[in-house]
Amino acid sequence: MMTVCVLFAVFVSAIGVIGILGVRSATQSGSEIATGELTTSTMTAQLARSMDLVYSTAERALLSGDVDQRLELMSSLSSQLVPQVDVRLGDIQVLHASDPPAEIRDFQLFAKQWRTVRNLLSSITVLGSSGQGTAAHLTLIYQPLSRHIDRLIVNEQGYADAQADQASSKSAGTLWTIMGAIALALTTCILLAWTGTRRIRKVVGPEQDQVE
């Protein structure tokens, strides 16, 4: 009886160790998911800064009375700032490729809003437009894009926080369940061993008395 209980205890402990390792693996996977969401959030924030820089630079160019400065700013837009946004937007679009259909459509709308701003900037560069009227038109079409990317940043940060909390809560709950099951099994094993030992003593005791 004692040998069986010892073997049972060893088996339960081994199962417990395997379960704990499984919980740690699941926790790591959850953390990786949360990290991925946080990476997307960070990249979206960087994209927002790049877009804001494009807008502010274009606005300065349109309102500048200095022709040379305006040409320099527009050259910076076409050669550096706008292509930088295109690259970052493409990188984030890859990260959103496996999102639910509704989120993919939302991101496609966001990309379309950027193309609208981009097309206006291209026409300004080609036509050499300037003045408050063009600047006001730029602001009008940029505002929806700006609000949209602010919403994307908030959503991505919320996803990251939710994934991290969920992974932590789930792993903690599972770990306590496993530890409780192990404790219960070991307690049961000890009680069985103690009960078995008492029964053996009751049987062996009278026989020893008879022998004596």
Side-chain angles (χ1 to χ4, degrees):
M1 174 67 75
M2 182 64 70
T3 301
V4 173
C5 286
V6 170
L7 292 175
F8 179 69
V10 172
F11 175 75
V12 170
S13 299
I15 294 297
V17 171
I18 294 173
I20 292 173
L21 292 176
V23 170
R24 288 181 177 178
S25 177
T27 302
Q28 183 177 0
S29 298
S31 298
E32 290 174 354
I33 294 173
T35 301
E37 295 289 354
L38 185 59
T39 299
T40 304
S41 175
T42 301
M43 292 177 64
T44 304
Q46 292 172 343
L47 175 62
R49 288 193 293 271
S50 295
M51 287 182 169
D52 285 342
L53 183 58
V54 166
Y55 169 70
S56 62
T57 302
E59 187 178 45
R60 284 173 56 202
L62 291 170
L63 298 178
S64 175
D66 187 326
V67 176
D68 291 337
Q69 183 186 42
R70 183 163 62 247
L71 291 175
E72 182 180 352
L73 291 171
M74 295 307 297
S75 175
S76 175
L77 282 169
S78 59
S79 64
Q80 298 178 14
L81 302 182
V82 171
Q84 184 181 66
V85 171
D86 289 337
V87 171
R88 287 183 170 174
L89 183 63
D91 291 340
I92 296 177
Q93 194 163 11
V94 172
L95 296 178
H96 283 280
S98 59
D99 284 356
E103 294 183 18
I104 291 177
R105 288 193 297 271
D106 184 61
F107 193 83
Q108 289 173 342
L109 173 60
F110 172 69
K112 182 179 179 181
Q113 290 171 329
W114 161 247
R115 287 195 299 271
T116 301
V117 173
R118 194 184 193 283
N119 291 339
L120 176 61
L121 295 176
S122 297
S123 66
I124 291 173
T125 302
V126 172
L127 299 177
S129 303
S130 62
Q132 293 183 349
T134 307
H137 183 47
L138 174 64
T139 299
L140 182 65
I141 64 173
Y142 184 75
Q143 286 177 342
L145 176 68
S146 180
R147 288 193 296 267
H148 200 155
I149 198 168
D150 287 343
R151 188 170 71 251
L152 287 176
I153 293 172
V154 172
N155 290 343
E156 293 295 344
Q157 185 61 54
Y159 294 151
D161 292 343
Q163 290 287 351
D165 292 343
Q166 183 178 2
S168 176
S169 176
K170 186 175 181 180
S171 63
T174 304
L175 182 60
W176 280 110
T177 300
I178 292 174
M179 295 299 292
I182 293 174
L184 179 61
L186 291 176
T187 302
T188 302
C189 183
I190 293 172
L191 289 175
L192 289 174
W194 180 72
T195 304
T197 302
R198 289 196 62 185
R199 289 181 178 177
I200 292 173
R201 287 178 179 176
K202 286 182 180 180
V203 173
V204 175
E207 293 181 355
Q208 289 180 343
D209 293 339
Q210 290 178 2
V211 171
E212 293 175 357

